[in-house]
Short mmCIF file of all heavy atoms in Angstrom, two decimals:
data_model
loop_
_atom_site.label_atom_id
_atom_site.label_comp_id
_atom_site.label_asym_id
_atom_site.label_seq_id
_atom_site.Cartn_x
_atom_site.Cartn_y
_atom_site.Cartn_z
N GLU A 68 69.97 -71.26 27.45
CA GLU A 68 71.09 -71.36 28.38
C GLU A 68 71.37 -69.82 28.96
O GLU A 68 71.61 -69.77 30.14
CB GLU A 68 72.38 -71.95 27.82
CG GLU A 68 73.39 -72.24 28.78
CD GLU A 68 74.59 -72.93 28.03
OE1 GLU A 68 74.47 -73.71 27.10
OE2 GLU A 68 75.84 -72.55 28.42
N ALA A 69 71.55 -69.06 28.10
CA ALA A 69 71.78 -67.55 28.51
C ALA A 69 70.70 -67.01 29.41
O ALA A 69 70.90 -66.36 30.52
CB ALA A 69 71.99 -66.70 27.36
N ILE A 70 69.42 -67.29 29.04
CA ILE A 70 68.31 -66.82 29.79
C ILE A 70 68.26 -67.49 31.13
O ILE A 70 68.02 -66.77 32.18
CB ILE A 70 66.89 -67.06 29.03
CG1 ILE A 70 66.75 -66.22 27.82
CG2 ILE A 70 65.69 -66.85 29.94
CD1 ILE A 70 65.73 -66.60 26.81
N LYS A 71 68.56 -68.77 31.17
CA LYS A 71 68.61 -69.49 32.44
C LYS A 71 69.74 -68.88 33.37
O LYS A 71 69.41 -68.66 34.63
CB LYS A 71 68.89 -70.94 32.23
CG LYS A 71 68.96 -71.79 33.51
CD LYS A 71 69.13 -73.30 33.12
CE LYS A 71 69.34 -74.16 34.38
NZ LYS A 71 68.22 -74.28 35.23
N GLU A 72 70.84 -68.65 32.76
CA GLU A 72 71.93 -68.12 33.59
C GLU A 72 71.71 -66.77 34.05
O GLU A 72 71.94 -66.38 35.15
CB GLU A 72 73.18 -68.13 32.64
CG GLU A 72 74.47 -67.53 33.32
CD GLU A 72 75.64 -67.51 32.40
OE1 GLU A 72 75.92 -68.47 31.70
OE2 GLU A 72 76.28 -66.48 32.40
N LYS A 73 71.12 -65.95 33.25
CA LYS A 73 71.07 -64.34 33.56
C LYS A 73 69.70 -64.02 34.26
O LYS A 73 69.66 -63.04 34.83
CB LYS A 73 71.38 -63.61 32.34
CG LYS A 73 72.73 -63.87 31.81
CD LYS A 73 73.28 -62.77 31.26
CE LYS A 73 74.73 -62.99 30.62
NZ LYS A 73 75.81 -63.08 31.42
N ILE A 74 68.68 -64.77 33.81
CA ILE A 74 67.26 -64.30 34.20
C ILE A 74 66.53 -65.24 35.13
O ILE A 74 65.88 -64.87 36.07
CB ILE A 74 66.56 -63.84 33.02
CG1 ILE A 74 67.28 -62.89 32.12
CG2 ILE A 74 65.14 -63.28 33.34
CD1 ILE A 74 66.83 -62.71 30.67
N LEU A 75 66.40 -66.48 34.56
CA LEU A 75 65.54 -67.46 35.25
C LEU A 75 66.30 -68.76 35.55
O LEU A 75 65.99 -69.72 34.95
CB LEU A 75 64.39 -67.81 34.23
CG LEU A 75 63.52 -66.66 33.75
CD1 LEU A 75 62.65 -67.00 32.67
CD2 LEU A 75 62.59 -66.16 34.91
N PRO A 76 67.03 -68.72 36.63
CA PRO A 76 67.87 -69.81 37.00
C PRO A 76 67.11 -71.18 37.24
O PRO A 76 67.66 -72.29 37.09
CB PRO A 76 68.75 -69.39 38.06
CG PRO A 76 68.12 -68.19 38.63
CD PRO A 76 67.34 -67.58 37.51
N SER A 77 65.93 -71.04 37.66
CA SER A 77 65.20 -72.33 38.13
C SER A 77 64.05 -72.63 37.22
O SER A 77 63.11 -73.44 37.58
CB SER A 77 64.77 -72.16 39.50
OG SER A 77 63.86 -71.10 39.65
N GLU A 78 64.03 -72.24 36.00
CA GLU A 78 62.92 -72.31 35.11
C GLU A 78 63.29 -72.92 33.65
O GLU A 78 63.02 -72.18 32.65
CB GLU A 78 62.22 -70.81 34.88
CG GLU A 78 61.66 -70.19 36.20
CD GLU A 78 60.43 -70.84 36.56
OE1 GLU A 78 59.75 -71.52 35.84
OE2 GLU A 78 60.12 -70.68 37.78
N ASP A 79 63.82 -74.04 33.77
CA ASP A 79 64.29 -74.76 32.59
C ASP A 79 63.19 -74.67 31.46
O ASP A 79 63.51 -74.29 30.19
CB ASP A 79 64.71 -76.10 32.75
CG ASP A 79 66.02 -76.33 33.43
OD1 ASP A 79 66.74 -75.35 33.50
OD2 ASP A 79 66.14 -77.34 34.03
N SER A 80 61.95 -75.04 31.67
CA SER A 80 60.97 -75.16 30.66
C SER A 80 60.58 -73.79 30.07
O SER A 80 60.44 -73.60 28.91
CB SER A 80 59.66 -75.83 31.28
OG SER A 80 58.62 -75.85 30.37
N LEU A 81 60.47 -72.75 30.94
CA LEU A 81 60.23 -71.36 30.52
C LEU A 81 61.36 -70.79 29.70
O LEU A 81 61.19 -70.24 28.65
CB LEU A 81 59.94 -70.45 31.63
CG LEU A 81 59.54 -69.12 31.28
CD1 LEU A 81 58.33 -69.02 30.27
CD2 LEU A 81 59.11 -68.26 32.61
N CYS A 82 62.65 -71.16 30.07
CA CYS A 82 63.77 -70.73 29.31
C CYS A 82 63.67 -71.31 27.90
O CYS A 82 63.99 -70.67 26.90
CB CYS A 82 65.09 -71.10 29.81
SG CYS A 82 65.36 -70.26 31.50
N ASN A 83 63.41 -72.52 27.68
CA ASN A 83 63.17 -73.19 26.41
C ASN A 83 62.13 -72.61 25.65
O ASN A 83 62.30 -72.35 24.41
CB ASN A 83 63.03 -74.70 26.54
CG ASN A 83 64.29 -75.40 27.06
OD1 ASN A 83 65.32 -74.94 26.88
ND2 ASN A 83 64.07 -76.48 27.88
N THR A 84 60.94 -72.32 26.34
CA THR A 84 59.90 -71.70 25.59
C THR A 84 60.25 -70.34 25.06
O THR A 84 59.94 -69.99 23.90
CB THR A 84 58.62 -71.55 26.45
OG1 THR A 84 58.27 -72.82 26.92
CG2 THR A 84 57.50 -70.81 25.94
N LEU A 85 60.91 -69.57 25.95
CA LEU A 85 61.33 -68.20 25.46
C LEU A 85 62.24 -68.32 24.33
O LEU A 85 62.15 -67.52 23.29
CB LEU A 85 61.92 -67.39 26.71
CG LEU A 85 61.01 -66.95 27.82
CD1 LEU A 85 61.94 -66.53 28.96
CD2 LEU A 85 60.18 -65.97 27.31
N ALA A 86 63.12 -69.25 24.33
CA ALA A 86 64.26 -69.39 23.26
C ALA A 86 63.45 -69.76 21.94
O ALA A 86 63.82 -69.25 20.89
CB ALA A 86 65.18 -70.35 23.62
#
Side-chain angles (χ1 to χ4, degrees):
E68 188 177 324
I70 292 170
K71 180 176 172 76
E72 179 183 312
K73 303 216 183 276
I74 306 165
L75 301 167
S77 61
E78 300 286 340
D79 288 341
S80 178
L81 182 53
C82 293
N83 291 330
T84 299
L85 291 170

